[in-house]
Amino acid sequence: MTRAIHQAFSWVEQGVADVESADFAALTMDVCRGIETCLQLIHVTDISVNSGADDEDPPILGTVDKERLLLLAQASARMLGDRADKRVDEMNKQVRKARAGRGA
């Protein structure tokens, strides 16, 4: 049997007690690192274009590519924020339900 080059990867060790929170933390790490990479590429492109140091070397990204990465970063941040908002709502509902069950 041939072994695949790509191996499954997770930031979180198997057997983590609160899998839902662990999954959200891992998603957050992935999304934040992706946003950081997009912004780094845009920043390096802007520096190279604005410095004018070597006009013979083209910038890393063209204008369209920069715009696409900015839109990707915005959509990623929005998605992560929406997921966090949903989790906060779920946690608040659990607390309210627990309080109502205790008669508090």
Side-chain angles (χ1 to χ4, degrees):
M1 182 165 150
T2 304
R3 190 175 146 148
I5 293 172
H6 173 74
Q7 299 297 313
F9 170 80
S10 176
W11 295 111
V12 181
E13 296 288 333
Q14 282 188 330
V16 172
D18 186 353
V19 175
E20 193 173 329
S21 291
D23 287 344
F24 182 71
L27 173 69
T28 301
M29 289 174 63
D30 285 339
V31 171
C32 288
R33 289 198 169 113
I35 291 170
E36 180 182 19
T37 299
C38 290
L39 296 176
Q40 285 173 339
L41 288 167
I42 293 165
H43 179 69
V44 168
T45 298
D46 286 346
I47 287 174
S48 68
V49 168
N50 293 333
S51 72
D54 191 358
D55 291 331
E56 292 182 19
D57 290 332
I60 293 171
L61 301 172
T63 304
V64 173
D65 295 325
K66 280 179 48 178
E67 183 65 23
R68 287 178 179 161
L69 286 180
L70 281 171
L71 291 172
L72 176 61
Q74 289 172 341
S76 298
R78 184 174 41 253
M79 180 274 303
L80 188 58
D82 289 346
R83 293 266 182 106
D85 187 45
K86 185 177 177 180
R87 287 192 45 79
V88 167
D89 283 344
E90 290 168 359
M91 288 185 284
N92 286 337
K93 285 177 188 175
Q94 289 174 354
V95 168
R96 286 191 294 270
K97 186 177 177 179
R99 285 182 185 156
R102 289 185 303 203

